[in-house]
Each structure stands twice: as structure tokens, then as C-alpha cells.
Amino acid sequence: MRYFLDISYRGTAFHGWQIQPNAHTVQEEINRALSTILQQDITCLGSGRTDTGVHALQQVAHFDAELSDSLEQLQYRLNGLLPPEVSIKAIRPVNPEAHARFDAVRRTYHYHLHQQKDPFKTGTSYFFSRNLEVAPIREAIALFKSWKNFQAFSKVHTDVNHFDCDIYEISWQETNDGHLFSVSANRFLRGMIRAMVGTLLEVGQGRLSQSELENILASGERSRAGRAVPPEGLFLTEVKYPESIYLDI
């Protein structure tokens, strides 16, 4: 039987989602907890990677097992075994061929910035105190929405077949003490969102014009785009799937 896990985690303590040698990862913790409880070797597969320090309000992973406990009991036992920074919010049965990565139709990320020093935001928001003009930023994200190839915002030497992404929704909002960038798409490239935000900060400070931004996008050269902002402001907030894959709908 195949199941989807809805997972949330604070990424500060982890070297990202995906298992890697000599590093503490979220996937490793969940595999260990599942294997301990179910008394068998379990490997879960996530909807995608998140980098070191990046958080998730909703990450999704699938695993295969025959369960003797109810889903509620398994959720309770997992949460008791996992570290405080990781929470299982739901476990749902899915079709046997359902895949957490390949069946996702939309992913949404938020990036948080605060502009006044706040010790309670440390680790979950990027402190950026310089003034920003929002109007040119919003003009820039309109260009992003109409664009397709985002190679200029991808980490170099990444293993992908193409750099095309369909952006469904994108916004830049002013908050009480800073800014919130939100973007939804069918897929994202490695490092893409942090590079997008870093480039938008250049636009908002008047260091990059709209025509220069369009030239950067057309060039596909990562070195011409803005720096990658720190990971602590970035949250994977939602991963959506066709309702037909769930067995309990």
C-alpha cells in the first residue's frame, strides 16, 4: 500500500530535505522513524528538495508499507519519535502508482523579509533594512510570469533536461514590518527562488532596470542575475496533486 505524508519542518537544523553523506537531513529522520516503527526498511521519496536552512509548511513524501496500526496511530507514533523541528500533519492512502514528485501539479513558495531588527524572526525571515521601491519589483514579476526559460536563475551544473517553468501565480506584498514574495509554478529549478528574490532586491533598489532584467533572462547566464538571498526566509508552503490519486476522497 502506498501513502502520502504531509510534513512540516523548520529547516534551520537540517542540511536540507534529501539524504546525503555526513549530513543531517529531514528525509533521513523520517526514514529512520518509519523504519523503527514499522520494523522494516522504509524509504520515503519527497516532492522535491529543499536546501540547507529552508523550511516547509507542507512537504509531501510517499512510502510503501503494510500497516497494522491505524493512520492516526502511525501519525501519533511518528510525531513522538521525530525531532521537535519535524511534524507529520497527515497520512493519506493513495493509488499504488502515485508519486510525490512526478504527480505534483503545483508547488508554492513564500520568501519572508523583515526590515526592522527582530530577534523573534531570526531563522525564519531575512533581515533586509535597505529601502525598496515596490512598483518596479511588481513590474519585474509581471515579466517573470510571462517568461518560460529560467536558466539565469538556476544553479549551474544542475542535472535537468530543460529550464522551462510555468509560473501560475506570483506576487510581492508589503507587510507590517517587511515584504512577502509568493510564487506558484509547476516546477522550480535548484536555487531559482532565492536567485529571483536576490534579483528583485536589485530592481527594488534601482540597481537593475526592466530592460536589463529582460536581457539577463534572455541570456540564461546565472552570473548576470542577482545573488542568492539567504535560505532562512524561504518556505515551501504547498504542494498540490490531482484529487484522483487519493483513495480517501
Side-chain angles (χ1 to χ4, degrees), residues 29 32-37 75-84:
E29 289 284 358
R32 182 185 296 121
L34 282 168
S35 299
T36 299
I37 292 170
Q75 181 182 353
Y76 177 80
R77 294 178 69 189
L78 282 172
N79 281 327
L81 201 55
L82 287 166

Side-chain angles (χ1 to χ4, degrees), residues 21-202:
N22 304 313
H24 183 211
T25 68
V26 181
Q27 185 185 29
E28 175 190 21
E29 289 284 358
I30 294 175
N31 286 351
R32 182 185 296 121
L34 282 168
S35 299
T36 299
I37 292 170
L38 300 177
Q39 294 295 292
Q40 54 186 294
D41 188 19
I42 301 290
T43 299
C44 69
L45 297 174
S47 68
R49 300 173 180 175
T50 56
D51 290 338
T52 299
V54 175
H55 316 290
L57 296 182
Q58 185 195 31
Q59 170 69 285
V60 176
H62 76 252
F63 71 97
D64 297 325
E66 294 301 324
L67 303 183
S68 55
D69 287 345
S70 69
L71 296 183
E72 292 78 11
Q73 288 173 317
L74 178 58
Q75 181 182 353
Y76 177 80
R77 294 178 69 189
L78 282 172
N79 281 327
L81 201 55
L82 287 166
E85 298 87 358
V86 183
S87 173
I88 305 299
K89 299 191 294 183
I91 307 173
R92 300 179 69 182
V94 293
N95 293 327
E97 68 278 4
H99 197 287
R101 178 182 174 190
F102 298 130
D103 285 335
V105 295
R106 176 190 291 244
R107 297 165 172 87
T108 301
Y109 282 86
H110 288 171
Y111 194 89
H112 299 262
L113 301 100
H114 60 288
Q115 296 197 282
Q116 295 182 355
K117 188 176 181 181
D118 185 343
F120 297 102
K121 292 186 179 296
T122 300
T124 58
S125 180
Y126 174 36
F127 177 42
F128 187 84
S129 59
R130 292 170 223 160
N131 291 330
L132 291 171
E133 292 293 330
V134 174
I137 291 177
R138 289 178 174 158
E139 190 176 341
I141 64 175
L143 175 61
F144 289 169
K145 189 168 185 181
S146 67
W147 209 262
K148 190 83 169 176
N149 184 309
F150 288 91
Q151 185 173 1
F153 293 146
S154 172
K155 287 185 178 179
V156 296
H157 309 305
T158 188
D159 184 20
V160 295
N161 295 323
H162 64 88
F163 297 94
D164 289 354
C165 304
D166 294 325
I167 293 184
Y168 302 133
E169 295 180 27
I170 186 168
S171 66
W172 187 284
Q173 303 169 39
E174 291 185 89
T175 62
N176 290 336
D177 60 354
H179 301 266
L180 173 65
F181 174 65
S182 176
V183 59
S184 299
N186 64 327
R187 68 192 289 259
F188 291 95
L189 306 169
R190 288 198 67 195
M192 176 176 165
I193 300 166
R194 290 166 60 195
M196 290 174 81
V197 175
T199 304
L200 289 171
L201 293 181
E202 294 293 302

